[in-house]
Amino acid sequence: MIGLPPAAWREIDDALEVALERLRVRSAALGEASAALGDATAASATGGKRLRPALVVAAFEAFGGDAGRSPGLWRVAAAFELLHAAFVVHDDLIDGDVERRGIPNVVGRFRERARVRGGDEDESRLLGSAAAVLAGDLLLFEATRLIATAPVTSPQRAALFVLLDDAVLVSAAGELADVEQSIGADLPPTDTLLRTARDKTAFYSFQAPLAAGALLAGANDDQRAALEAAGSAIGVAFQLADDLIGTFGTRAEAGREPGADLRASKRTPLIAMAAETEAWPQIASALAMAPTGPIAIEHAQRELTASGARERTVEMIAQTLRSARTLAADAALPRDAVVLLAALTAAVEDRIPR
Amino acid sequence: MIGLPPAAWREIDDALEVALERLRVRSAALGEASAALGDATAASATGGKRLRPALVVAAFEAFGGDAGRSPGLWRVAAAFELLHAAFVVHDDLIDGDVERRGIPNVVGRFRERARVRGGDEDESRLLGSAAAVLAGDLLLFEATRLIATAPVTSPQRAALFVLLDDAVLVSAAGELADVEQSIGADLPPTDTLLRTARDKTAFYSFQAPLAAGALLAGANDDQRAALEAAGSAIGVAFQLADDLIGTFGTRAEAGREPGADLRASKRTPLIAMAAETEAWPQIASALAMAPTGPIAIEHAQRELTASGARERTVEMIAQTLRSARTLAADAALPRDAVVLLAALTAAVEDRIPR
């Protein structure tokens, strides 16, 4: 979703690999079980799109930062990938998922490990959960440690910790809200679900990495505030596009079974907007049937489209991205920062399934 | 278990309360659910014995540190209490415990919260687990942040992060080993279980806090190494005494139902030593019955005592504490450090149920 020179990708990958290899080696020194945990933890932070590190680096360059004179840049960028991995591992644990991208995640690996060792179903669940709790802890700590020990100035470190502190707390609030909103009979209103998307995803995935890159490059407070506001809006639009992909996307677009959000009865702003239409009674029936199979999913997709909720979500994405562009234009950002934000808004638009 | 002047306890409590109040206030700003998470998280780090902060401060003073000239001391001390709270919250989650010290823990609080909101049993478990994952994450991050931003010198911060890095990894290895060793039919050997006690408890509870205090006071590497070795031994002895309390202690000694370790079929070095005796077949039968009630627990207690395993555990504690004293005597530690270690070994001996 974001273009960087090959050399920048290599620096990001190197910083990440140094951290993960260190974790593997240190874990292996503590015994065979710990070695397996180190491997599973490192694997969970490997092979992703590295969106968040790329945002750190792109913002840094857009504000005129000179990577040759900021050796801490790559560690800070890598830290955001580890933070993401920590949240993904703990989110998978909470959601009861045993796979990610079609291969066993930490829970799946350690459930299998327990089975191989003669554990029964309960023991297998126990070990899977324990390993996922610990893997997420190791990743969260490592992300924090990378920033605490990065070669940056003291004021930069202090500012990065303010950002990281917010990222951890806001993401936790968003994750908790996401779980709470899945409970009980009442569908929360659209605004509440948008707020959850912002807290759970937009802050740590867009706003904070962009701000981190800008502050390392020496952006002033006004510029950073504008960048953060635009980043937050882009992050929310990104999540709304993700909801459309999870609901209407093809297998190629979604990278998994089509209609996975419908199968999982996920409460998204898209669904909340459908609930505000007169067609809701028949949509609700269709959604209730969706987990039963592909035909029911296609029926629910048609009902949602017919209600106008799909179109309204596309409009909401367009509007959110317009607000991001306006924020960028009004704030006297450097030209390269405006170009970066324009590229990000275009990339989010491109993700919308047609 | 450790004596400090009232002013030092107040400084520890103040540093801890500043961190927890900040967490509560910041959480409350993010909505009602987040406020509840902040309150539950802060509560889980409140009201403990503050053993680990006390060890930081006691070691600092034993090595001649001047608290008036080390304003970072109290934050570092408080960080170890938060680290402990993080591990306890995640350990309770892994163990499926819903109470601590007789009151609902984070899991218990949020299970009840889900019920009040009309959640069914599955939803209640889901919310309890989610909140506990997040509360532990917040505490782990806050412990790390306190040290990353404490007013200490750069070399001190770097050394503290080496310690903290080890504490997080070694404790994770110990927690994982503890879970793995509870799985399957085979009882692990005594040495393996002792290693797990060292990794899961002794490192972060004794070795690391003592080392942190000593390094802030300017202890040299040899002194720190000796202190760490002695601290590790004392920590293992502490855990062995804890096993005796959980197996044979009265309600007053244990602060909970007597024989809780037998009720939970916990695999401790004590049990592994019983398995090395000829009486093991009847002990194993008695242990298998122990979860059924008080009479079966008393029977298992008698069998364990008769096998000599209880006495052997007491001897092992004495021997481990002797090694701690020898390490202290051989290392040319300052007199006050020797006195501190002697006080700690005496305190562990006093915990052994008679």
Side-chain angles (χ1 to χ4, degrees):
Chain A
M1 133 155 215
I2 189 162
L4 290 181
W9 285 117
R10 269 198 303 279
E11 294 278 6
I12 291 171
D13 286 345
D14 285 354
L16 199 54
E17 184 50 30
V18 165
L20 296 176
E21 177 62 14
R22 183 173 173 281
L23 181 64
R24 277 190 293 259
V25 169
R26 283 162 45 79
S27 299
L30 293 171
E32 190 271 333
S34 174
L37 180 64
D39 287 346
T41 304
S44 72
T46 307
K49 289 194 292 283
R50 298 153 299 161
L51 165 64
R52 293 149 193 88
L55 289 173
V56 174
V57 174
F60 178 83
E61 293 185 343
F63 281 89
D66 175 358
R69 299 174 64 181
S70 284
L73 173 65
W74 312 109
R75 282 180 79 144
V76 173
F80 275 94
E81 187 69 8
L82 296 175
L83 187 68
H84 172 55
F87 291 161
V88 166
V89 168
H90 279 175
D91 187 52
D92 277 0
L93 168 66
I94 290 168
D95 291 346
D97 294 331
V98 298
E99 288 191 348
R100 174 140 309 237
R101 296 188 218 110
I103 51 171
N105 61 12
V106 179
V107 176
R109 281 182 181 228
F110 275 81
R111 282 196 186 176
E112 178 59 22
R113 185 176 159 89
R115 278 184 220 107
V116 168
R117 287 159 180 263
D120 61 23
E121 191 51 32
D122 280 351
E123 289 172 332
S124 158
R125 284 172 181 276
L126 169 68
L127 188 61
S129 299
V133 168
L134 297 169
D137 288 353
L138 293 177
L139 290 163
L140 174 60
F141 177 77
E142 184 61 13
T144 312
R145 193 190 70 85
L146 281 187
I147 292 181
T149 60
V152 296
T153 66
S154 288
Q156 284 174 335
R157 192 181 332 278
L160 286 170
F161 261 90
V162 170
L163 265 183
L164 191 60
D165 196 14
D166 285 344
V168 170
L169 190 72
V170 169
S171 303
E175 176 78 24
L176 183 69
D178 194 39
V179 173
E180 287 214 345
Q181 286 153 16
S182 75
I183 286 177
D186 295 343
L187 184 68
T190 308
D191 281 359
T192 303
L193 294 170
L194 283 170
R195 161 78 186 264
T196 298
R198 195 185 76 202
D199 287 351
K200 182 180 171 181
T201 305
F203 192 92
Y204 92 88
S205 300
F206 287 85
Q207 183 172 345
L210 288 169
L215 84 83
L216 286 177
N220 67 39
D221 288 352
D222 287 350
Q223 290 174 327
R224 257 191 58 193
L227 185 74
E228 291 199 31
S232 177
I234 291 168
V236 169
F238 176 90
Q239 184 57 49
L240 288 171
D242 211 56
D243 293 342
L244 286 173
I245 293 170
T247 307
F248 301 107
T250 60
R251 186 185 302 266
E253 286 164 336
R256 52 183 173 163
E257 288 290 298
D261 282 4
L262 296 172
R263 198 181 308 271
S265 303
K266 215 169 142 190
R267 290 173 172 178
T268 58
L270 168 76
I271 302 295
M273 286 193 280
E276 291 164 12
T277 69
E278 288 184 357
W280 181 240
Q282 63 259 38
I283 298 172
S285 310
L287 291 174
M289 292 299 290
T292 61
I295 293 170
I297 283 180
E298 282 168 31
H299 177 57
Q301 288 170 333
R302 280 194 303 275
E303 292 286 351
L304 281 168
T305 303
S307 76
R310 178 175 182 168
E311 196 51 40
R312 278 191 66 198
T313 302
V314 173
E315 277 163 25
M316 186 175 273
I317 293 173
Q319 187 188 330
T320 308
L321 292 175
R322 262 197 308 278
S323 79
R325 283 194 205 92
T326 307
L327 285 160
D330 289 355
L333 293 180
R335 194 183 158 280
D336 284 354
V338 176
V339 170
L340 169 62
L341 290 170
L344 288 173
T345 58
V348 170
E349 273 162 354
D350 281 349
R351 299 184 82 228
I352 299 171
R354 306 295 158 189
Chain B
M1 141 156 208
I2 190 163
L4 290 180
W9 285 116
R10 269 198 303 278
E11 293 279 6
I12 291 171
D13 286 345
D14 285 354
L16 198 55
E17 184 50 29
V18 166
L20 296 176
E21 178 61 14
R22 184 173 172 280
L23 180 64
R24 275 190 294 259
V25 169
R26 282 162 46 79
S27 299
L30 294 170
E32 190 271 331
S34 174
L37 180 64
D39 287 346
T41 304
S44 72
T46 307
K49 288 193 292 285
R50 298 153 301 161
L51 165 64
R52 293 149 193 88
L55 289 173
V56 174
V57 174
F60 178 83
E61 294 186 342
F63 281 88
D66 175 358
R69 299 173 65 181
S70 284
L73 172 67
W74 312 108
R75 281 179 81 146
V76 172
F80 276 93
E81 187 70 8
L82 296 174
L83 187 70
H84 171 55
F87 291 161
V88 165
V89 169
H90 278 174
D91 186 51
D92 277 359
L93 169 65
I94 290 167
D95 291 345
D97 294 331
V98 298
E99 289 191 347
R100 178 148 297 245
R101 296 190 218 111
I103 51 172
N105 61 12
V106 180
V107 176
R109 280 182 181 227
F110 275 80
R111 283 197 184 174
E112 178 58 22
R113 185 176 158 91
R115 279 185 220 108
V116 169
R117 289 161 178 262
D120 61 22
E121 191 52 31
D122 280 352
E123 290 172 331
S124 158
R125 283 173 181 277
L126 169 69
L127 188 60
S129 299
V133 167
L134 298 169
D137 289 354
L138 293 177
L139 289 164
L140 174 60
F141 177 76
E142 184 62 12
T144 312
R145 192 189 70 85
L146 280 187
I147 291 181
T149 60
V152 296
T153 66
S154 288
Q156 284 175 335
R157 194 184 327 282
L160 286 169
F161 262 91
V162 170
L163 265 183
L164 191 60
D165 196 13
D166 285 343
V168 171
L169 190 72
V170 169
S171 303
E175 177 78 22
L176 183 69
D178 194 39
V179 173
E180 288 213 345
Q181 286 153 16
S182 74
I183 287 178
D186 294 344
L187 184 69
T190 308
D191 280 359
T192 303
L193 294 171
L194 283 170
R195 162 79 185 263
T196 298
R198 195 185 72 202
D199 288 351
K200 182 179 172 182
T201 306
F203 192 92
Y204 92 89
S205 299
F206 287 84
Q207 184 172 345
L210 288 169
L215 83 84
L216 287 177
N220 68 40
D221 288 354
D222 287 349
Q223 290 174 326
R224 257 190 59 194
L227 184 73
E228 291 200 30
S232 177
I234 292 168
V236 170
F238 176 88
Q239 185 56 48
L240 288 171
D242 212 54
D243 294 343
L244 287 173
I245 293 170
T247 308
F248 301 107
T250 61
R251 186 184 302 267
E253 285 164 337
R256 50 183 176 163
E257 287 291 297
D261 284 3
L262 296 172
R263 198 180 310 270
S265 303
K266 217 170 139 189
R267 291 174 172 178
T268 57
L270 169 76
I271 302 296
M273 286 192 280
E276 291 163 12
T277 69
E278 289 185 356
W280 180 239
Q282 64 261 37
I283 297 173
S285 311
L287 291 174
M289 292 298 290
T292 61
I295 293 169
I297 283 179
E298 282 169 31
H299 177 56
Q301 288 170 333
R302 279 193 303 274
E303 291 285 352
L304 281 168
T305 303
S307 76
R310 178 175 182 169
E311 198 49 40
R312 277 191 66 196
T313 303
V314 173
E315 277 162 25
M316 185 176 274
I317 293 172
Q319 187 188 331
T320 309
L321 293 175
R322 260 198 309 278
S323 79
R325 281 194 207 94
T326 306
L327 285 160
D330 288 355
L333 293 179
R335 194 183 159 278
D336 284 355
V338 176
V339 170
L340 170 61
L341 291 170
L344 289 172
T345 58
V348 171
E349 274 163 356
D350 281 351
R351 298 184 82 229
I352 300 172
R354 305 296 156 185

